[in-house]
Amino acid sequence: MSDSCYDRLCALDREVAPLGQAMAVMGWDQEVNLPPKGLAARASALAALAGESHRRLSAPEVGEWLAGAEAEGANDEVAAANLRLWREGYDRRTKLPQSFVEEKSKVSSEAKMAWAGARKASDFALFAPLLEKQVELARRQSDYLGYDDHPYDALINLYERGMTTAKLRSLFGSFRAELAEIAAEAVERTKANPSREFTGSFPVEAQQQFNREVAESIGFDFEAGRIDTTTHPFCSGNAPGDTRLTTRYYDHDFSASCFGVLHEAGHGLYDQGLPAEHYPHPAYESVSLGIHESQSRMWENHVGRGLAFWQRWTQRAGELFPQLAGWTPEEMVAAVNRANFSFIRVDADEATYDLHIALRFEIEQALVSGELEVKDVPAAWNSAFKQSFGLEVPDDSKGCLQDIHWAMGGIGYFPTYTLGNLASAQLMEAAMQDESVASGYHAGDTLPLLAWMRERVHRHGSILTPDEIIQKATGKELSPDAFLGHLRTRFLG
Amino acid sequence: MSDSCYDRLCALDREVAPLGQAMAVMGWDQEVNLPPKGLAARASALAALAGESHRRLSAPEVGEWLAGAEAEGANDEVAAANLRLWREGYDRRTKLPQSFVEEKSKVSSEAKMAWAGARKASDFALFAPLLEKQVELARRQSDYLGYDDHPYDALINLYERGMTTAKLRSLFGSFRAELAEIAAEAVERTKANPSREFTGSFPVEAQQQFNREVAESIGFDFEAGRIDTTTHPFCSGNAPGDTRLTTRYYDHDFSASCFGVLHEAGHGLYDQGLPAEHYPHPAYESVSLGIHESQSRMWENHVGRGLAFWQRWTQRAGELFPQLAGWTPEEMVAAVNRANFSFIRVDADEATYDLHIALRFEIEQALVSGELEVKDVPAAWNSAFKQSFGLEVPDDSKGCLQDIHWAMGGIGYFPTYTLGNLASAQLMEAAMQDESVASGYHAGDTLPLLAWMRERVHRHGSILTPDEIIQKATGKELSPDAFLGHLRTRFLG
C-alpha cells in the first residue's frame, strides 16, 4: 500500500513536470525574446499554468498519498528526501488558495514589464502601483503561511529553509561592523593605490568570445546550455540538459560581462551537476538559494578575481582586446578588485557587496511590516544609502529600481546572497585543503575544484539539507569567519 | 441550458489555450535555441502537453456539451464557426487514442533532431528509421480517421478541409502539362538572356538590416513579432501579439534570406491580422494551410519579385551591399526571376516550384499506400527528379532530406503549397481591381494591398471557410487560371 502511495506521488511529479518545464522556458523566453505586445497572452498563460500545477499538487488525494507514504517510511535517503520535500511543499501549497497563486503569477509578469520600463525611464512612479501589489501579496502570503515572530519570516523561509528574521539580524549583526571596517579600509587603499584603468571600446562580439572560452574552461557544458543577453542577468535551469545563462554588456568594461558570466555559470555548473537520475522528483532539485549562490560567488569571486585565474587569462584578454596587450596578471587583479562605494549591487565589489544586501534587508522588513510605505521607498533607499555608502543616489535607476527581485515577487530573496557569500568562502577554504584542488587552482585549472563541488554539493541535490551540506563538506556550521578572512587577505593583505 | 453548454466549451478553450501556447513557444524554442542535451526532456514534456491537451478536448463531457450547444443553435456567425470547428476537432480527436497522440508528438521531436543530423551529413540512413515510424504513424492515423478512397485523403484533410486525393490529382492534372511547358520555356529564356549575377559577400548583419526594413515596410509589426535564424525557415504564431518568423542566410546571395523573410512575413501578417477578439476560440484561428500559403506567396512573389518593389528597394540594397551599387531595378527583377531546374524547393523560382510539389505529392501517396518503401525513397526521389527536372540529384541533402515536413509528421502537407500558389494569384488579381491597391502597388506601397487582405481574408479567421473566402474575395471558385496567367506574364511576357 505505502509503496503504491510513494509511486503515485512519483507519477504525479512526472505529470506536473511538463508544466514546470513549460513555465521555465516561457519565463526565460519572456526575458530574452518576447515581443511586448505578446505580454498579455503570455502573462495569462503563465498564470494559468502556475494555477494548474498548484491545483494538482495540492489536491486532497495528494495529502492522502503523502500520509500513506509517510506511514510506510522511506527505503533510502533519496526516498526520505522526496517524502520530506513533498510534505514541505504540500503543506506550504495547501495554505495558499488557488486564486492567490494565479494572481501572484499574473502580477509578477506585469510587474516585470512595468519595472523594465520604469528602470529605463528612471521613473519610480511607473513601477510603484505594481510594487504596492507585490507588497500586499507578500503580506497576504505571510498570513496564509503563518509565522511566529515577524511576517518577513514566512517569506525568507520560501528561499532558505529554517531561516528567520531574528537569525538573519543576529548574523548580519555579528559581522556588519567588521565588514564596514574592512570595506572602508579597502576603499581607502583602492584610492591610495589606483590600478590601471580599462580604456577604449570592448566590442560585444569579443566579450562574448572571451566569456565563452572562460565558461568552457571552468566546465560549463554548452551542449547542455547557452548564454543570452538580458537587462538583468540570471540562470534558468529549465530541465536536465537545458541550463541557460544570461548576461549584459558594457562597451567600456569587458570585465562586467565576464564576471556576470562567471557568476551565472557558477549557478549553471550547480544545475548541470544535479542528480538527473532523480528528475523530476524533489531530490533532484537544488537545495536552497544560499547554496546556489555559494556556487555562483565561488566562480565569480574566489576563482575569477584571483591571481591564478588572470595568470591564465590575461594574455588571451590582450589578444581579444588590444588595449589590454602588455597588462600583467597582477595589474589585472588590481583592476578587477577595486573597492568602491558605488550604486549598483550587481557591479559591486566583494568588500562592499553585502552592505547593499543589508540595506535591502532593512527595507524589505519595513515594507512587509508596514513601517515603510511603497511611495516612500525611494527616499528611504536614498537616505540609507547615504548613510552606508556616503553617496547621494542620482536617480532611481541607480537606486531602488536597479533590481528585478521585487518585480518578480521575490521579497525575502536578497539575504540569500549574503548567506551564499559566507558559504562560498567556507566551502572554498575547505576545498583548498585538498591538495589536487589547491595545486590545480594555483595552476589556473579549476576542474579539480569543480569535481570537489560536484562530489560534496551538486550531486546531493536536495537529498541533504543546506546545513548538512555545509557541515559535511566543511566540518563546521556556517559562520562569517572564512568570508571575513578571505576579504582581509584579498583587500588588506 | 444550451447557452451554458456553449459557455462551457468557451471555458474549456481558455483552460487548454495555455497548453497550446506552451507547445508553440517550446516548439519554436526547440528549433531556435534548445541545446542538444536538452532534447530528451523537451520531447517528453511536449509529448505530455500534447497528450494532456488531447485528453481534455476529447473528454466525454465535451461531446455532451457539443451536442447541447448544437441543439440550441448559434446566435451569430462567430458562434456558428466555433460550433462547426469544435465539432470537427472533437470528432477527429476522439478517433485518435491518447497513446497515439503522445507517441506521434514524441516521434516527431526525435525525428526532427535525426533529420537535422541526417541532412547535415547527407546520410538518409540516419533518418530512415524515424521516417519509417512517421509513415507507420500516418497510416495508423488514416485508419483511425477513416477515408473513402485513398488513405492519403485522411491526411490531406488535416491541412485542407474537404480536399481529397482525387481532387488534387484532377487539379494537378488540369495544369501540370501547361505548367511544365511554361517552366521549360522560362528556363530556356533565362538561359538565352542571362541576368547580372550577384557577386561577393553579403554580410549577415547587412542582410538582417535589409530584411527588417522590408518586413517593416510591408506592415509586419515588430512590437508583436521577431525574426530568428533556423535551418528550415518557418513562422510560428504563438499567441496574439507574438508571431515569430525564422530565416536562414547565404553569404553569396542576399535575396534568399530576403525572399524567405517576405514569405514568412506573409504568414506573419495573416497571423497578426487574425481576429484577436475571438482568441482562444476556433473562430480566431487561420482557416487552412492553403489560405495561409496564399498570403506568404503573395508577399514573396507577387510583391517581392515585382518591378515596383525593386523600384523602391534597389537603391537601399546598393547602400547596404556595395556590390549592388549601380544596379537598375530592371536588372534586379531579372536577377530574382531566373527560372532554373534546381534541387531545392524553397530556393526554387515560381515557374518550377510546383513541379517540386507534384513530385512530393506522388511520393507521399505511394509511401502511405505502401507502394513505396522508406528505404527506396532516395532512389524514387532521384528518378522522379531526373524525369521532371532533367537533373541528377548529387546527394540526399539536395534531394529527399531537404525538407523538415516528413520529420515533423506532416505527410499530406505539401499539396497545400500549390493550393496556396493558386489562391495567391487569384486573390492578387482580384485585389488589383481596386484602384488604391493597384496605384499603391505600382508606387511601391503595399499597405493598401495589406488592408485589402486584412478586410477580405485575415479578419475572418475561421469564421468563413476557405472556399467562402476565395469565392467572396474573388467572385469565383479556386482555379489555376490566374496563376498560369501570372506565370506567363512574368516569365514569357
Side-chain angles (χ1 to χ4, degrees):
Chain A
M1 267 309 286
S2 86
D3 221 328
S4 154
C5 284
Y6 186 87
D7 289 347
R8 280 176 185 173
L9 290 164
C10 286
L12 178 66
D13 281 342
R14 289 191 296 273
E15 280 171 41
V16 174
L19 301 177
Q21 194 182 140
M23 286 187 276
V25 174
M26 292 166 90
W28 173 88
D29 179 84
Q30 180 171 326
E31 300 303 319
V32 178
N33 295 314
L34 187 68
K37 289 182 185 171
L39 181 71
R42 176 64 52 87
S44 118
L46 280 172
L49 293 171
E52 172 72 12
S53 171
H54 181 267
R55 193 178 58 73
R56 292 215 197 169
L57 293 171
S58 53
E61 63 266 31
V62 177
E64 291 161 24
W65 299 338
L66 252 177
E70 285 165 344
E72 181 65 18
N75 290 328
D76 57 28
E77 61 170 6
V78 173
N82 282 333
L83 279 178
R84 178 166 45 82
L85 296 158
W86 280 329
R87 167 59 65 195
E88 185 184 298
Y90 183 76
D91 286 350
R92 190 176 278 166
R93 238 172 258 120
T94 49
K95 292 175 178 174
L96 298 178
Q98 173 80 2
S99 59
F100 176 84
V101 173
E102 294 186 13
E103 186 182 351
K104 188 165 162 71
S105 171
K106 193 156 195 305
V107 166
S108 297
S109 281
E110 292 165 0
K112 279 191 280 186
M113 210 58 143
W115 166 78
R119 183 174 185 264
K120 199 169 176 185
S122 194
D123 183 354
F124 183 75
L126 297 176
F127 177 51
L130 276 304
L131 182 54
E132 298 264 16
K133 283 193 194 171
Q134 286 289 23
V135 171
E136 191 260 329
L137 286 165
R139 282 197 205 117
R140 274 164 59 199
Q141 192 165 16
S142 297
D143 289 342
Y144 287 130
L145 296 173
Y147 54 90
D148 288 331
D149 185 26
H150 193 293
Y152 189 68
D153 287 352
L155 303 175
I156 310 169
N157 242 289
L158 294 171
Y159 307 108
E160 205 67 29
R161 292 185 178 106
M163 192 51 66
T164 64
T165 311
K167 274 198 215 173
L168 274 176
R169 278 186 181 148
S170 154
L171 197 61
F172 274 105
S174 76
F175 78 104
R176 192 172 168 179
E178 192 168 342
L179 175 65
E181 274 174 40
I182 294 172
E185 175 67 16
V187 169
E188 263 325 294
R189 292 206 186 188
T190 296
K191 271 191 201 142
N193 305 288
S195 70
R196 284 181 79 165
E197 298 274 347
F198 298 136
T199 56
S201 167
F202 294 85
V204 168
E205 295 71 23
Q207 292 191 49
Q208 287 173 329
Q209 178 64 30
F210 187 72
N211 295 346
R212 194 180 164 97
E213 290 176 20
V214 164
E216 269 174 343
S217 83
I218 64 170
F220 185 76
D221 181 357
F222 280 92
E223 293 283 297
R226 45 183 293 129
I227 303 180
D228 294 275
T229 305
T230 51
T231 307
H232 190 94
F234 64 95
C235 173
S236 178
N238 295 337
D242 186 12
T243 298
R244 305 188 184 188
L245 326 178
T246 72
T247 192
R248 58 182 166 201
Y249 299 94
Y250 298 101
D251 181 69
H252 65 283
D253 180 5
F254 83 105
S255 77
S257 75
C258 173
F259 288 112
V261 164
L262 278 163
H263 179 98
E264 302 305 338
H267 286 303
L269 289 171
Y270 183 18
D271 282 344
Q272 291 186 337
L274 290 171
E277 66 274 24
H278 302 314
Y279 180 82
H281 310 297
Y284 162 79
E285 303 287 339
S286 58
V287 72
S288 79
L289 291 187
I291 296 295
H292 230 309
E293 193 71 7
S294 80
Q295 300 303 292
S296 59
R297 287 294 168 173
M298 179 170 305
W299 264 272
E300 176 189 2
N301 289 334
H302 293 267
V303 171
R305 295 185 197 274
L307 181 61
F309 181 87
W310 289 105
Q311 283 167 339
R312 171 163 179 185
W313 288 102
T314 299
Q315 187 183 338
R316 181 63 182 142
E319 289 163 14
L320 287 164
F321 312 111
Q323 63 266 55
L324 299 180
W327 280 53
T328 66
E330 289 76 11
E331 287 171 331
M332 198 65 89
V333 168
V336 302
N337 283 296
R338 283 180 289 215
N340 287 299
F341 290 126
S342 65
F343 298 109
I344 304 294
R345 175 184 61 84
V346 296
D347 298 333
D349 53 81
E350 283 184 277
T352 59
Y353 185 90
D354 295 277
L355 298 173
H356 289 270
I357 300 303
L359 180 156
R360 286 156 178 77
F361 172 54
E362 296 299 330
I363 289 184
E364 286 191 340
Q365 291 177 73
L367 275 174
V368 171
S369 68
E371 293 156 62
L372 178 65
E373 288 184 59
V374 164
K375 70 173 171 53
D376 298 324
V377 163
W381 181 291
N382 297 350
S383 150
F385 199 85
K386 181 70 196 277
Q387 198 170 354
S388 280
F389 295 78
L391 295 170
E392 299 283 351
V393 175
D395 60 59
D396 292 337
S397 73
K398 291 198 177 59
C400 62
L401 284 175
Q402 67 184 269
D403 296 306
I404 200 174
H405 301 60
W406 295 341
M408 289 170 64
I411 295 170
Y413 187 120
F414 281 120
T416 66
Y417 291 122
T418 290
L419 296 173
N421 281 333
L422 306 190
S424 179
Q426 193 164 322
L427 286 165
M428 188 73 190
E429 189 179 73
M432 291 289 275
Q433 305 301 310
D434 181 305
E435 177 50 33
S436 72
V437 171
S439 65
Y441 175 86
H442 290 299
D445 173 13
T446 55
L447 293 179
L449 175 65
L450 176 60
W452 195 96
M453 293 296 157
R454 287 262 192 263
E455 175 65 22
R456 286 165 185 81
V457 180
H458 306 177
R459 78 176 177 87
H460 296 299
S462 284
I463 301 166
L464 303 178
T465 66
D467 286 350
E468 286 169 345
I469 285 173
I470 294 294
Q471 181 74 47
K472 286 198 178 192
T474 71
K476 52 193 171 189
E477 298 205 338
L478 185 68
S479 92
D481 299 345
F483 181 60
L484 291 172
H486 162 70
L487 289 186
R488 265 187 238 103
T489 305
R490 178 153 284 177
F491 290 97
L492 315 182
Chain B
M1 266 309 285
S2 85
D3 222 326
S4 154
C5 283
Y6 186 86
D7 290 346
R8 280 178 185 172
L9 290 164
C10 287
L12 178 65
D13 281 342
R14 289 191 297 271
E15 279 171 42
V16 174
L19 300 176
Q21 193 182 140
M23 286 187 276
V25 174
M26 291 166 91
W28 172 89
D29 180 84
Q30 180 170 326
E31 300 301 321
V32 178
N33 295 315
L34 187 67
K37 290 182 186 171
L39 181 70
R42 177 63 54 88
S44 117
L46 281 171
L49 293 171
E52 172 73 11
S53 171
H54 182 267
R55 193 177 59 73
R56 291 214 198 170
L57 293 171
S58 53
E61 63 266 32
V62 178
E64 290 161 24
W65 299 338
L66 252 175
E70 285 166 344
E72 181 64 17
N75 291 328
D76 57 28
E77 60 171 7
V78 173
N82 282 334
L83 278 178
R84 177 165 46 81
L85 296 157
W86 281 328
R87 166 58 65 193
E88 184 183 296
Y90 183 76
D91 287 350
R92 189 175 279 166
R93 236 172 260 119
T94 49
K95 292 175 178 174
L96 298 178
Q98 172 81 0
S99 60
F100 176 84
V101 174
E102 294 185 14
E103 186 183 352
K104 189 165 161 71
S105 169
K106 193 156 193 305
V107 166
S108 298
S109 280
E110 292 165 0
K112 279 190 279 183
M113 209 60 143
W115 166 78
R119 183 172 186 266
K120 199 170 176 185
S122 193
D123 183 355
F124 183 75
L126 297 176
F127 177 50
L130 277 304
L131 182 54
E132 297 265 17
K133 282 194 195 171
Q134 287 289 22
V135 171
E136 192 260 329
L137 286 166
R139 283 198 205 115
R140 274 164 59 199
Q141 192 166 15
S142 295
D143 289 342
Y144 286 130
L145 295 174
Y147 54 90
D148 288 331
D149 185 27
H150 193 293
Y152 189 68
D153 288 351
L155 303 174
I156 309 168
N157 243 289
L158 294 171
Y159 307 109
E160 206 67 31
R161 292 185 178 107
M163 191 51 66
T164 65
T165 312
K167 274 197 215 173
L168 275 176
R169 279 187 181 147
S170 153
L171 196 62
F172 274 106
S174 76
F175 78 105
R176 192 172 167 177
E178 191 169 342
L179 176 64
E181 275 174 38
I182 293 171
E185 173 68 15
V187 169
E188 264 326 293
R189 292 203 185 190
T190 296
K191 269 190 201 142
N193 304 288
S195 70
R196 285 182 78 166
E197 299 273 349
F198 297 136
T199 56
S201 167
F202 294 85
V204 168
E205 295 71 23
Q207 292 191 49
Q208 288 173 327
Q209 177 64 29
F210 187 72
N211 295 345
R212 194 180 164 97
E213 291 177 19
V214 164
E216 271 175 342
S217 83
I218 64 170
F220 185 76
D221 181 357
F222 280 92
E223 293 282 298
R226 45 184 293 127
I227 303 180
D228 294 275
T229 305
T230 51
T231 307
H232 190 95
F234 64 93
C235 173
S236 179
N238 295 338
D242 186 11
T243 298
R244 305 189 184 188
L245 326 179
T246 73
T247 192
R248 58 182 166 203
Y249 299 93
Y250 298 101
D251 181 69
H252 64 284
D253 180 5
F254 83 105
S255 77
S257 74
C258 172
F259 288 113
V261 164
L262 278 163
H263 179 99
E264 302 305 337
H267 286 304
L269 289 171
Y270 184 17
D271 281 344
Q272 290 186 338
L274 291 171
E277 66 274 24
H278 303 313
Y279 180 82
H281 310 298
Y284 162 80
E285 303 287 339
S286 58
V287 72
S288 79
L289 290 188
I291 296 295
H292 229 309
E293 193 70 6
S294 79
Q295 299 304 293
S296 59
R297 288 291 168 177
M298 179 169 305
W299 264 272
E300 176 189 0
N301 290 333
H302 293 267
V303 172
R305 296 185 197 274
L307 181 61
F309 181 86
W310 289 106
Q311 283 168 338
R312 171 162 181 187
W313 288 102
T314 299
Q315 186 183 336
R316 180 64 182 141
E319 289 164 11
L320 285 164
F321 311 112
Q323 63 265 57
L324 299 180
W327 281 52
T328 66
E330 289 76 11
E331 286 171 332
M332 198 66 89
V333 168
V336 301
N337 284 296
R338 283 180 290 216
N340 287 298
F341 289 126
S342 65
F343 297 108
I344 303 295
R345 174 185 60 86
V346 296
D347 299 334
D349 52 83
E350 282 183 278
T352 59
Y353 185 90
D354 295 277
L355 298 174
H356 290 271
I357 299 303
L359 181 155
R360 285 157 178 76
F361 173 53
E362 295 300 330
I363 288 184
E364 286 190 341
Q365 291 177 72
L367 275 174
V368 171
S369 68
E371 295 156 60
L372 177 66
E373 287 185 60
V374 163
K375 70 173 171 55
D376 298 323
V377 164
W381 181 290
N382 296 349
S383 151
F385 199 85
K386 181 71 196 275
Q387 199 172 350
S388 281
F389 294 79
L391 295 171
E392 299 283 353
V393 175
D395 60 59
D396 292 338
S397 74
K398 291 198 177 58
C400 62
L401 284 176
Q402 68 184 270
D403 297 306
I404 200 174
H405 301 61
W406 296 341
M408 287 170 63
I411 294 171
Y413 188 118
F414 281 120
T416 65
Y417 290 122
T418 290
L419 297 173
N421 281 334
L422 307 189
S424 179
Q426 193 164 323
L427 287 165
M428 188 72 190
E429 190 178 73
M432 291 291 274
Q433 304 301 310
D434 182 304
E435 176 51 36
S436 73
V437 171
S439 64
Y441 175 87
H442 290 298
D445 173 12
T446 54
L447 293 178
L449 176 64
L450 176 59
W452 195 97
M453 294 297 155
R454 288 262 191 262
E455 175 66 20
R456 286 165 185 80
V457 180
H458 307 178
R459 78 176 175 87
H460 297 298
S462 285
I463 299 165
L464 303 178
T465 66
D467 288 349
E468 287 168 344
I469 285 173
I470 294 293
Q471 181 72 47
K472 287 198 178 190
T474 72
K476 52 193 171 190
E477 297 204 340
L478 185 67
S479 93
D481 299 344
F483 180 60
L484 291 171
H486 162 70
L487 289 186
R488 267 188 236 101
T489 305
R490 178 154 285 176
F491 290 97
L492 314 182

